[in-house]
Structure formats: structure tokens, C-alpha cells
Amino acid sequence: MERLKNEYDQVNGKLLMKAVRLHEFGGPEVLRYEDAPRPELGPGEVLVRVHAVGLNPPDWYLRDGFKSLPPEWRPQVPFPIILGTDISGVVEAIADDVQGFAIGDEVYSMVRFFSVGESKAYAEYVSVPVSELALKPAGIDHIQAAAAPMSLLTAWQYLVDVGHNQPNPLQQNKHQPVPLEGKKVLVNGAAGGVGHLALQIAKLKGAYVIAVASGKHKQLLHELGANEVIDYTETAPEDVVRDVDVVLDTVGGPTTGRFLRTLKRGGVLFPVYPLGFSDAAEAEKAGVTVSATQVRSSGAQLTELANLLNDGKIRVVIDSTYPLSDARKAHERAAQGHIQGKIVLTVV
């Protein structure tokens, strides 16, 4: 009964929902589970009753105020903020101009990314632009579906099809994936959210895949199709691997240049987090192309990828789940590192 009493804001005359919001930047302790206004539909939007929310690194980057970025690059956002981008749920309402979806449809999405603070997924309800929405794969549940969008789209847009023409401020040229059939591909961080999906995509496209992760993930990575697994806690991959065609470094950052020595001339290095790379001259000397892109929402690509998820050709691994009200604990789990797959918040 208490929940029903709180569903309507008597002062502002708006329907309420439960959400996880920030009123200041900081650690997991700043996440507050509280009442918030239910989103109102705009043109071209669908209201989704959320069943599950997938966690991603941009969630904690935003939570802590983008401390890893130079001060002049840090976006200004108005508090309070609702975190999160990846959802799976059921269509609750549809704007008059929307076609292709019906009330009751099960759907999933990466909502409004890249728009800082506008996705608002850690909530019972979220409004989604119809262009970013896709029917949930029938063969998986809401938890698995919510875990997929950002990580799967990142892997797909790096390795197969960028799918958008948004400029990348970190490089002049548009990111270009390369054909993977018959190629040797190294995936660093292969047990993580992007990595375990990229491994499977590379295998589907006919590549020989070397997975780099800690040894505790070895069995899983072989199950997902890795031809070789290198335990980085025992062996530095750059010391033993040579003549690779493609490196997808899901960790990236200042250390990504170490993979240049693993690549053959004409090879490509794709750092998912390219900030801090300072070996451009070495890459040019080695004949290696270094390229990155910024993942963008795409209902069309999620529709295409739904077939692979539905058929089990791509498997989403779940590290752990937490109720929406325990978002703080979920972020604490993320801070521990060594995540196997994805962390998910359950809403219904």
C-alpha cells in the first residue's frame, strides 16, 4: 500500500516512480534510491516499463564526475541525474506518431547514448526514441537482454559495422572495421562485458581468436570459442604473441601501445578506451593502424543482433544481479574488478 500512496506527486501533479539518482558526484555511496517523476512521452518515443538494467563503465564514469577526463572535457550536467543506458522491459505507452511497436511488446535498448545524463535507465520507467528500440530476443530473458546493448553494440561497431556517421573527436578519419575471416584476432579483457562478446563475434566471422584475461576465466573463454587463452597474471601477451592481424583492447588507455609489437605490418589496433595512447610514431613505423570509435545507439543493429542472441550464436554471460534498490552494491561489485560478463539490476 505504501508504494501506491507514493505513486502520485500531490504538489507537482505528476506520476512518480522509483529510480536511482545522483545529487552530487562521488563513489557508490552517492547513489540514492528514491521517488522521481515518471517520464513523459515526446514525439517519436515509447514508454518502457523496465524489467532489468545493464551496468556499463560510463555509469561509474558519470557517477564520479568523469574524473579521468581533463577538466575542460568534463560535461556539465544538472542534478539530480538518473544513471544508466541499457534496458529490457515491456512497452507501456506509445506516442501517436510511432509505428512498428505495440503496448505489451518486450523490447530492449541502449537509450540515448551518447548523450550525457539523458539516458535515465536506472528506473522503473524510461522513455526511448523509437529509432533506438528493438524487440527483445525471445530466446533470452530480460536480464540477459539488458546486459547486451552497449557491450554488444561496441563490439559490433568496432569489429563489423560502425552503423553511424557521428564524428570521433579523437581522430580525423572514420573508424573502419576489417574483414575477420581467416584473420588472427587478439581480444584483451576477453572475460569482460565487451570482451566476451567481441570474442564470439570474431569467431562467428571466421577468425582465430586469442583471448587475454586472468586464469580463472580460462574455461569460460574456451567455451565461448577462444582458440588460445593467455593468463595475463602469468604471462605478458606482448612478450609471446606475434603476427596478429587485429587487436581489440577493451581496456585501452596509456598501456594499449604495448600491443603494437604483437601485430604484423598492416595490422590494426582498436583500443576501446583510446585516451592516453601516445605511441602514434611507433605505430606508423610498425605499419599498424590505430583506430577507435564511439558506440552509438541503434535500434536497427539491435534488431539484427537479436537473431544471434535468440539462436544462441552469441551468449551473454551474467556476473551478478542486484535489485534496483541495491544499485550501490552493484557499483561496489564493479569497483572490485575482474567482472565476468555483465552486472545487471533487476527492476521487476
Side-chain angles (χ1 to χ4, degrees):
M1 292 297 295
E2 187 64 28
R3 181 72 191 98
L4 293 175
K5 290 178 184 177
N6 290 334
E7 281 191 341
Y8 195 78
D9 185 336
Q10 299 291 342
V11 175
N12 297 310
K14 292 185 177 182
L15 287 172
L16 295 177
M17 63 178 180
K18 288 296 185 182
V20 175
R21 301 200 294 184
L22 300 179
H23 294 262
E24 60 182 326
F25 294 130
E29 71 280 356
V30 302
L31 298 174
R32 290 168 54 175
Y33 179 70
E34 60 190 14
D35 284 328
R38 190 181 298 186
E40 298 178 357
L41 281 183
E45 292 184 343
V46 172
L47 182 68
V48 176
R49 175 73 162 99
V50 179
H51 283 230
V53 184
L55 270 64
N56 295 287
D59 299 355
W60 36 95
Y61 299 159
L62 175 54
R63 188 205 69 219
D64 72 9
F66 293 99
K67 288 182 178 179
S68 62
L69 295 179
E72 63 273 17
W73 286 14
R74 296 173 190 170
Q76 301 299 309
V77 292
F79 291 113
I81 307 165
I82 299 176
L83 293 180
T85 59
D86 288 5
I87 58 100
S88 182
V90 176
V91 174
E92 182 90 357
I94 300 171
D96 292 339
D97 60 341
V98 167
Q99 297 181 348
F101 292 93
I103 293 173
D105 282 347
E106 294 188 324
V107 292
Y108 75 139
S109 178
M110 179 174 73
V111 185
R112 296 186 184 87
F113 195 82
F114 182 79
S115 295
V116 177
E118 295 299 319
S119 301
K120 304 179 180 179
Y122 286 20
E124 291 180 320
Y125 294 90
V126 64
S127 63
V128 184
V130 68
S131 62
E132 300 175 0
L133 199 65
L135 292 174
K136 181 185 77 67
I140 62 175
D141 61 23
H142 284 292
I143 290 173
Q144 292 170 306
M150 180 175 286
S151 294
L152 188 52
L153 286 174
T154 298
W156 193 258
Q157 290 177 12
Y158 263 88
L159 294 177
V160 181
D161 179 14
V162 175
H164 63 80
N165 292 311
Q166 298 295 327
N168 183 348
L170 299 178
Q171 64 185 48
Q172 293 182 343
N173 300 325
K174 181 180 177 180
H175 176 75
Q176 296 287 345
V178 298
L180 298 178
E181 185 173 0
K183 300 292 180 62
K184 185 181 289 188
V185 176
L186 184 149
V187 179
N188 184 44
V194 174
H196 85 285
L197 297 169
L199 183 167
Q200 295 174 76
I201 289 169
K203 285 296 293 185
L204 278 174
K205 295 298 180 179
Y208 180 98
V209 180
I210 303 169
V212 179
S214 66
K216 71 175 185 176
H217 304 299
K218 184 174 183 178
Q219 180 177 344
L220 171 67
L221 296 175
H222 278 304
E223 290 174 0
L224 296 179
N227 298 95
E228 298 180 36
V229 177
I230 296 176
D231 180 354
Y232 72 86
T233 67
E234 297 182 353
T235 305
E238 66 271 22
D239 290 341
V240 296
V241 178
R242 294 293 182 271
D243 296 324
V244 169
D245 297 286
V246 179
V247 171
L248 180 70
D249 182 6
T250 71
V251 179
T255 65
T256 197
R258 65 195 174 109
F259 289 106
L260 291 173
R261 71 182 79 169
T262 70
L263 286 152
K264 64 174 60 173
R265 182 167 289 275
V268 294
L269 170 60
F270 295 157
V272 172
Y273 187 80
L275 291 177
F277 175 73
S278 58
D279 299 300
E282 184 180 345
E284 184 176 1
K285 183 178 179 180
V288 170
T289 299
V290 181
S291 181
T293 187
Q294 174 61 67
V295 64
R296 300 283 175 161
S297 302
S298 173
Q301 286 188 326
L302 287 177
T303 298
E304 179 182 4
L305 290 163
N307 295 322
L308 299 176
L309 292 166
N310 189 57
D311 295 342
K313 293 179 179 178
I314 292 180
R315 169 186 165 196
V316 183
V317 175
I318 304 300
D319 177 275
S320 50
T321 63
Y322 298 83
L324 180 66
S325 57
D326 282 342
R328 173 178 174 174
K329 292 181 180 178
H331 276 236
E332 289 170 348
R333 165 68 191 102
Q336 294 170 5
H338 300 286
I339 299 168
Q340 184 170 274
K342 298 298 294 287
I343 301 170
V344 176
L345 300 173
T346 56
V347 185
V348 177

